[in-house]
Amino acid sequence: MSKLIEFTLTEALEGLEKGEFTARELTQTHLDAIGAAAPLNAFITDTSERALSMADASDERRKKGEAGLIEGAPIAVKDLFCTVGARTAAASNILGEFDPPYESTITANLWKEGGVMIGKVNMDEFAMGSSNEHSRYGPVVSPWRRDGKNDKLVPGGSSGGSAAAVSADLCLGAPGTDTGGSIRQPAAFTGIVGVKPTYGLCSRFGVVAFASSLDHPGPLAKTVEDSAILLRSMAGHDKNDSTSLDVEIPDYAAAVGRSVKGLKVGVPAEYQVDGMPDEIRDLWNQGVEWLKEAGAECVDVSLPHTKYALPAYYIVAPAEASSNLARYDGMRYGARVEKDGLVPTYEATRGEGFGAEVQRRVLIGTYVLSAGYYDAYYLKAQKVRQRILQDFRDTFENVDVLLTPATPSAAFGFGERDADPIQMYLNDIFTVTANLAGVPAISVPAGLDNQGLPLGLQLIAPALGEETMFAAAGALEKAANFSAKPKRWWESA
Amino acid sequence: MSVTKDEVRHIAHLARLRVSEDRLDTLASELNGILDWIEQLDEVDVEGVEAMTTAVESSLPMREDKVTAAGDRDAVLKNAPKSEEGFFVVPKAVE
């Protein structure tokens, strides 16, 4: 396989700028790598012709001195982002062959900055899942395997296709979405960087909605610097999203490499959970040491409502999902299952179009929002959510950033967590708090477990504290010096 | 609170989901498992706490009251499961 795919985004942009290769060559090399990676089942919609014409247009722009921030970089797009002329189905049967008449703001921004759409990637249906086992296209297989083993592992979810694509060097970055951990958890499982920015920093326009108050688009990338460049390319005010923040977007990459001397890092006691493997605890302690050696001051802090985040999430997210997914009725778009009469047609369309996990969440959401239960569930959860936000606000009075593990375990095998939905939900125990509070967080690959699988550490910053977050993440990345790569077994599979 | 099989059937109807009879028991037990787990929220004192409505303080913006995107009819209709003469074709909705 060509060296070209091993480049990080930053390295590839340098090579393009120096004229060492063209966007077309870079794109073709990635398309070849994707062609050889079918066993991963990461790419589900072929847009190779468009990729090559976008690459040619990119080469033209660069010649004219009009290069954007990510000019010529192959980008893989999660099936949740509407892309004109390329099927957008949220990995659900109910959307059929939906061809959006409009483009999501996030992808439009990426193309405006010179990104090349290399293909659309797999995910958990409607972004509901932590393993990418729930998809109309079938599961994504992680590029990673345990040392000396051939068992298939999950890449995490819901942005599992995006994580697999970045980790296997099939693209230079990928926009994902994170509602409870769907960017950071798969990033941690596959040894890459995942960023969930402040709520409202990245527009939700044209992103198939799951839980609107929790949905956060953000980048998955090979390095912290790459993720900073991608976030800057994606973020910005959008009048088409009423929750979009009207703030200046700084040069986040400039914050990577900034000194963390004197930075105050909080280590929250509540993230020490029962049954957490020793390796994760050790890595977390190691992270504290690394940041101290880089000049930061680490202090113990407490966020007492942390343990209530996940149960509150499993009221708010399904409630919003049941409302958002009410639009899929098979009338104006999507796959209709025709029956005798209107209601039977609705019920058959939705009964056949939605997968098991989506149906479970729609039922929970419908139940908690139904007459007589709203106060006991949804309203209560929104009040608990306020408590969780207040925990963060109080803590950030005294510290600049929090350091936690990204996930409670390394990647697991197919079917291992499927029997009990709650076991699957617990994957998001460390990530979901930041979604409820809307604060930015990043997952940074920091080590391997004793079976050779990646583990990540998470940094959480106050709202709009992305630059501090990137500075701390840069220091962590430098100290961890994570350089492991999956063995390219799929090329001979 | 415990959800019965009949309630699951009712919720499924409210959600316009066709669920076969033989799945109702499993779904009831899954929903009860999740609802039991959620019950730990009762431990939290939320007396006097306002429900959270926004993550970052911001006011809802106003826009000019004018048509900005009058969709292209053909582009919209091309995704329709059924259409005729520029209209969506749907099952009879009024008896």
Side-chain angles (χ1 to χ4, degrees):
Chain A
M1 199 45 72
S2 159
K3 281 293 273 184
L4 281 186
I5 62 162
E6 289 172 22
F7 286 139
T8 64
L9 171 65
T10 310
E11 291 165 349
L13 292 174
E14 274 173 26
L16 286 164
E17 185 56 31
K18 288 185 191 151
E20 288 165 5
F21 45 86
T22 62
R24 191 182 176 94
E25 284 164 337
L26 188 65
T27 298
Q28 187 60 58
T29 310
H30 280 88
L31 288 172
D32 293 344
I34 292 167
L40 301 179
N41 199 29
F43 283 80
I44 41 93
T45 306
D46 179 357
T47 62
S48 50
E49 269 179 44
R50 185 192 307 198
L52 290 170
S53 73
M54 285 176 91
D56 287 342
S58 170
D59 285 326
E60 283 304 310
R61 280 194 300 273
R62 193 175 282 282
K63 259 188 229 155
K64 284 193 252 162
E66 296 166 3
L69 282 174
I70 55 166
E71 194 61 62
I75 301 293
V77 179
K78 188 177 183 179
D79 202 26
L80 205 64
F81 292 92
C82 285
T83 43
V84 175
R87 178 183 58 192
T88 300
S92 180
N93 281 316
I94 206 156
L95 269 154
E97 296 302 303
F98 184 65
D99 179 359
Y102 52 87
E103 185 84 11
S104 81
T105 299
I106 292 297
T107 48
N109 288 349
L110 288 167
W111 312 149
K112 204 165 59 200
E113 291 297 341
V116 168
M117 180 158 85
I118 198 82
K120 293 202 80 169
V121 286
N122 208 341
M123 55 180 280
D124 278 304
E125 183 180 1
F126 282 108
M128 297 178 191
S130 307
S131 65
N132 217 138
E133 290 170 288
H134 308 283
S135 162
R136 82 181 233 189
Y137 312 109
V140 175
V141 180
S142 174
W144 291 83
R145 288 174 164 181
R146 294 185 181 113
D147 284 340
K149 300 262 170 53
N150 290 332
D151 310 333
K152 287 179 183 176
L153 300 178
V154 304
S158 66
S159 309
S162 321
V166 173
S167 161
D169 292 332
L170 307 178
C171 64
L172 289 174
T177 58
D178 190 316
T179 304
S182 281
I183 287 173
R184 290 160 289 156
Q185 184 254 19
F189 276 13
T190 57
I192 61 168
V193 175
V195 177
K196 182 206 83 67
T198 303
Y199 184 79
L201 200 65
C202 285
S203 167
R204 291 179 295 107
F205 178 75
V207 184
V208 175
F210 162 11
S212 306
S213 77
L214 298 161
D215 292 345
H216 296 70
L220 293 95
K222 294 184 185 183
T223 68
V224 173
E225 186 178 8
D226 287 3
S227 73
I229 295 169
L230 287 164
L231 180 61
R232 186 178 173 201
S233 310
M234 293 163 66
H237 181 61
D238 179 14
K239 63 178 171 28
N240 286 330
D241 174 357
S242 66
T243 60
S244 168
L245 296 173
D246 194 0
V247 293
E248 280 292 308
I249 303 303
D251 179 3
Y252 297 121
V256 182
R258 188 192 286 178
S259 166
V260 294
K261 208 166 167 58
L263 193 80
K264 276 188 98 170
V265 180
V267 183
E270 290 78 10
Y271 286 67
Q272 194 83 247
V273 296
D274 291 341
M276 187 161 82
D278 288 344
E279 294 170 288
I280 290 184
R281 195 168 322 223
D282 294 346
L283 184 69
W284 190 13
N285 291 333
Q286 179 66 64
V288 170
E289 290 309 312
W290 282 331
L291 288 176
K292 276 187 190 163
E293 282 160 25
E297 183 193 340
C298 294
V299 293
D300 291 334
V301 295
S302 171
L303 291 91
H305 296 90
T306 299
K307 69 177 268 212
Y308 302 110
L310 210 48
Y313 175 84
Y314 274 95
I315 293 173
V316 177
E320 294 184 8
S322 77
S323 172
N324 273 325
L325 270 56
R327 73 189 62 171
Y328 302 104
D329 59 5
M331 295 298 126
R332 289 147 299 154
Y333 51 84
R336 183 189 300 176
V337 180
E338 203 88 50
K339 292 285 163 189
D340 194 17
L342 184 65
V343 172
T345 300
Y346 284 154
E347 291 182 339
T349 296
R350 292 164 61 82
E352 290 182 28
F354 292 141
E357 180 58 27
V358 174
Q359 293 199 21
R360 190 148 51 214
R361 297 201 199 187
V362 167
L363 289 174
I364 287 276
T366 305
Y367 180 75
V368 300
L369 289 177
S370 62
Y373 293 125
Y374 178 86
D375 286 3
Y377 288 113
Y378 191 73
L379 194 64
K380 171 98 188 188
Q382 289 289 65
K383 289 179 177 179
V384 172
R385 192 174 171 187
Q386 184 80 322
R387 286 270 194 223
I388 290 163
L389 175 63
Q390 198 57 47
D391 278 357
F392 276 113
R393 287 194 175 147
D394 294 346
T395 307
F396 286 130
E397 294 279 310
N398 302 314
V399 300
D400 300 306
V401 68
L402 298 170
L403 177 70
T404 80
T407 58
S409 76
F412 44 88
F414 279 29
E416 276 178 26
R417 303 281 164 91
D418 233 11
D420 177 4
I422 294 171
Q423 283 309 308
M424 188 66 95
Y425 299 166
L426 287 173
N427 263 292
D428 291 337
I429 192 161
F430 299 138
T431 46
V432 76
T433 49
N435 294 81
L436 288 165
V439 295
I442 186 169
S443 168
V444 180
L448 296 174
D449 74 358
N450 61 13
Q451 297 183 297
L453 296 180
L455 295 172
L457 288 172
Q458 175 180 241
L459 289 155
I460 309 175
L464 296 174
E466 272 82 3
E467 288 172 282
T468 309
M469 177 185 85
F470 279 120
L476 205 56
E477 179 184 53
K478 194 173 166 204
N481 193 23
F482 183 90
S483 59
K485 284 278 200 180
K487 299 184 175 69
R488 306 187 71 82
W489 55 266
W490 57 89
E491 286 173 351
S492 52
Chain B
M1 276 180 274
S2 182
V3 180
T4 64
K5 192 173 162 179
D6 283 344
E7 281 175 299
V8 176
R9 195 185 291 113
H10 177 61
I11 300 164
H13 177 66
L14 288 177
R16 298 290 183 268
L17 281 176
R18 191 179 64 190
V19 175
S20 61
E21 277 294 312
D22 58 352
R23 280 184 57 216
L24 291 176
D25 279 324
T26 317
L27 277 170
S29 100
E30 281 174 1
L31 295 197
N32 282 319
I34 296 168
L35 292 168
D36 285 349
W37 174 66
I38 284 170
E39 244 169 50
Q40 53 179 305
L41 292 185
D42 291 342
E43 299 164 17
V44 187
D45 178 11
V46 290
E47 189 63 39
V49 175
E50 291 268 337
M52 178 167 160
T53 49
T54 172
V56 178
E57 296 300 333
S58 60
S59 54
L60 274 182
M62 302 289 277
R63 67 163 173 81
E64 237 183 293
D65 185 16
K66 65 173 192 194
V67 176
T68 50
D72 174 346
R73 187 181 72 182
D74 294 339
V76 171
L77 276 179
K78 79 172 188 276
N79 282 303
K82 253 189 198 176
S83 66
E84 258 176 48
E85 321 234 346
F87 291 94
F88 291 110
V89 178
V90 301
K92 193 173 164 187
V94 182
E95 289 304 321

